[in-house]
Amino acid sequence: MRHRCYMLFCALSEAMERLWHGKFYFPLLLGITLSAVLFHEAVLGAAIMLGISAWMFLFCPDILAGLSSVCVMTLLTTEHYTEMSAFLPCLPLAFVGAVSLVAHLLIWPLELRIGRNCRGLLLVSAAAMLGGMGAITQAEALKPMSLYYSLGLGVMLLGFYLLTRSQMAKIGGEAMLRRFASLFYTMGLCAAGIIFWAYIEHWDPTAAIHAAPDLRWRNFITTILLTTLPVPVGFAVKRRAHLLSVGVLAGALLLTGSRMGLVLGAIELFLCCCYLVRWGVISKRVMCVLLALGAGAALVLGPQILAVALGGRAGESDFRGSDMIRLKLLARSVEDFLHYPLFGIGLSNTANADLYPVVEGSMVFYHNLVAQVIGSMGMLGIVAYGVLLHDRICLLRSGRNPWSDMLGLCYLGMMMVSMVNPGAFCPFPNAIMITMAFSAVEEAVGDPALTPAQLSAGWYRIWLGPWKPALRK
């Protein structure tokens, strides 16, 4: 009986590995997600995706297969963006997925690998957990939502980094990078599909002025689109047909109803054109023609685009009112820093709720990355994020290949978003996506990833760089 069970497990494992490495896994996730959006069954769709994740953790040797399902699943939150409690029935399946993850690590143990990003993530973990010391009570710090942000932006990111870095070091190669990039590709197409379906559902053909529906979740979807837009550009290096997907994602950005999407999307499209020239997909002459056509279309169709994209939000409370709130939040972050300079007021502090209404499942954001760091984490946060940003920039500068450049553009998209919206301070999926991306960047540029044995001469080496002296030892 044990032999038969073992043979059945091996057969299932081989089948799931073929599915993961085949052409149909990500289209399957895309189809399930968009079907759940189409039929307004987000909770059922989330349950199915969690089931797939638990199954892949249990039977697929590559841990990224299960993580991919979880990441794509987060796009289903758009339907219940202001009422996340609707997903509480999925908690038992989330527990099953966690058990399956533990079982995966027991069946296919990973050799721990520690790369350059670990140093910054350790400091960020300390800053996230110590943030608010002296400003909030212990009871407030231990609330479930407080723990979600303090642990999610620290310990959880560190854990995801170690898991994905160890897995990527184990597999390696361009095929692995392609599978990881396919995750971002799928999330971008899902986000675009959600936007297009929202227009189909809310479009009023009898209206005098067609306007974008006022979507509460537009900034979340815009963040995903800006982060994933460079991915099909990267795939176009090998196959130019992927440039069609660039048009799909750019069109979705135009329709989000987000000023951030219009402005930052234009900047990112220009940088993507520079990427295509750098890697020989198009010539400089073609790039100039495309930019000229884009500028001409913006001049001719600009008023109509603005009328559609922003027409549903035209009003005092939506534009000048929201901008004044952002300015007040920036000023409040400076005040919070001056009152609590060492550790800030904490990520979970609700002291600024008078300026920013809290959405269920969210914290009170300053809507600016710099303000968030200095206001929520103080000097410790400034040091932590300074080290993390320094290490990531150095890592990107050391790369000379299409994959690292593409992921660098993804990171730039997230950082630009974070200057006007929560962005990278949303633990899941935003911060997780970037953390996983830099695991892939380390692998793409051949940056050394040390084992605990290679660090046995002294864990102080984790604070030093470059890593090569430790490897020689």
Side-chain angles (χ1 to χ4, degrees):
M1 178 62 70
R2 279 187 293 180
H3 178 70
R4 290 179 179 177
C5 290
Y6 175 75
M7 294 302 295
L8 176 61
F9 177 85
C10 290
L12 286 172
S13 178
E14 291 175 2
M16 292 306 104
E17 191 171 12
R18 286 196 300 271
L19 174 63
W20 165 243
H21 289 290
K23 298 180 179 179
F24 301 107
Y25 184 69
F26 285 107
L28 173 65
L29 300 184
L30 178 65
I32 292 172
T33 304
L34 293 182
S35 297
V37 172
L38 178 67
F39 295 105
H40 297 285
E41 293 290 348
V43 178
L44 176 60
I48 294 173
M49 296 292 275
L50 283 172
I52 292 175
S53 178
W55 180 269
M56 296 303 284
F57 278 143
L58 196 58
F59 292 107
C60 183
D62 193 337
I63 202 170
L64 293 176
L67 294 179
S68 297
S69 176
V70 177
C71 289
V72 176
M73 178 202 69
T74 58
L75 292 167
L76 292 171
T77 60
T78 53
E79 186 174 342
H80 301 282
Y81 190 70
T82 58
E83 46 181 18
M84 292 297 183
S85 58
F87 292 95
L88 288 177
C90 297
L91 280 179
L93 279 171
F95 176 76
V96 173
V99 173
S100 298
L101 176 59
V102 174
H104 176 101
L105 295 175
L106 293 175
I107 298 169
W108 295 285
L110 291 173
E111 184 179 24
L112 186 63
R113 294 298 186 101
I114 301 170
R116 193 184 305 195
N117 281 280
C118 188
R119 176 174 66 171
L121 289 173
L122 280 172
L123 290 172
V124 168
S125 297
M129 290 187 291
L130 294 176
M133 183 178 295
I136 56 176
T137 65
Q138 184 177 4
E140 290 176 320
L142 294 178
K143 288 180 179 178
M145 191 51 58
S146 301
L147 291 174
Y148 169 69
Y149 281 99
S150 61
L151 297 178
L153 289 171
V155 176
M156 184 176 75
L157 294 186
L158 183 61
F160 263 80
Y161 166 74
L162 293 174
L163 284 177
T164 54
R165 186 68 186 97
S166 301
Q167 182 69 59
M168 291 178 184
K170 181 179 180 179
I171 300 174
E174 184 172 327
M176 181 276 300
L177 293 170
R178 180 174 288 273
R179 300 307 298 165
F180 173 76
S182 296
L183 166 61
F184 277 33
Y185 205 147
T186 303
M187 295 184 72
L189 292 177
C190 277
I194 290 171
I195 286 292
F196 293 143
W197 181 244
Y199 266 76
I200 292 172
E201 282 198 313
H202 294 88
W203 191 263
D204 183 4
T206 63
I209 297 177
H210 301 297
D214 188 11
L215 306 171
R216 293 295 303 273
W217 39 264
R218 59 177 172 266
N219 287 333
F220 168 62
I221 289 296
T222 302
T223 300
I224 298 298
L225 288 170
L226 285 170
T227 307
T228 57
L229 178 61
V231 177
V233 178
F235 276 81
V237 173
K238 291 292 183 66
R239 189 177 180 186
R240 294 185 181 181
H242 290 284
L243 292 176
L244 295 174
S245 296
V246 179
V248 172
L249 299 189
L253 273 172
L254 284 176
L255 300 178
T256 55
S258 169
R259 291 169 290 171
M260 172 181 69
L262 291 175
V263 176
L264 300 183
I267 295 173
E268 194 161 46
L269 279 173
F270 170 74
L271 295 175
C272 286
C273 287
C274 295
Y275 174 94
L276 292 173
V277 172
R278 172 181 170 82
W279 294 105
V281 180
I282 60 175
S283 65
K284 291 183 180 179
R285 181 177 298 178
V286 172
M287 175 182 170
C288 291
V289 171
L290 290 175
L291 292 177
L293 290 174
L299 290 174
V300 175
L301 302 176
Q304 290 81 1
I305 292 173
L306 288 175
V308 172
L310 304 180
R313 302 177 57 205
E316 184 74 19
S317 60
D318 285 318
F319 287 96
R320 283 176 289 179
S322 64
D323 291 337
M324 286 303 298
I325 290 175
R326 291 175 188 271
L327 292 175
K328 290 179 181 178
L329 284 170
L330 291 176
R332 189 71 64 85
S333 70
V334 176
E335 294 176 11
D336 294 337
F337 174 74
L338 293 176
H339 283 102
Y340 301 96
L342 290 180
F343 303 110
I345 67 168
L347 291 168
S348 57
N349 200 314
T350 58
N352 298 318
D354 60 318
L355 295 178
Y356 174 70
V358 182
V359 178
E360 181 184 352
S362 176
M363 69 178 181
V364 182
F365 291 106
Y366 291 99
H367 281 75
N368 179 274
L369 185 143
V370 177
Q372 196 73 53
V373 170
I374 66 173
S376 298
M377 303 180 186
M379 288 298 300
L380 181 57
I382 293 173
V383 173
Y385 277 90
V387 171
L388 184 67
L389 184 61
H390 169 270
D391 288 349
R392 286 177 170 177
I393 291 175
C394 290
L395 187 65
L396 290 171
R397 290 183 63 186
S398 67
R400 294 292 185 272
N401 63 73
W403 294 110
S404 62
D405 287 355
M406 178 199 74
L407 292 170
L409 287 176
C410 293
Y411 183 52
L412 180 61
M414 180 66 77
M415 293 299 288
M416 289 193 297
V417 169
S418 301
M419 293 301 168
V420 292
N421 268 295
F425 272 86
C426 290
F428 203 75
N430 299 357
I432 289 294
M433 289 173 65
I434 294 303
T435 302
M436 294 170 65
F438 273 94
S439 296
V441 171
E442 287 185 2
E443 187 65 26
V445 303
D447 202 61
L450 308 184
T451 65
Q454 291 169 322
L455 287 170
S456 60
W459 282 90
Y460 66 89
R461 290 185 181 275
I462 200 172
W463 307 107
L464 304 179
W467 296 82
K468 291 183 179 179
L471 287 176
R472 287 197 296 268
K473 183 175 182 66

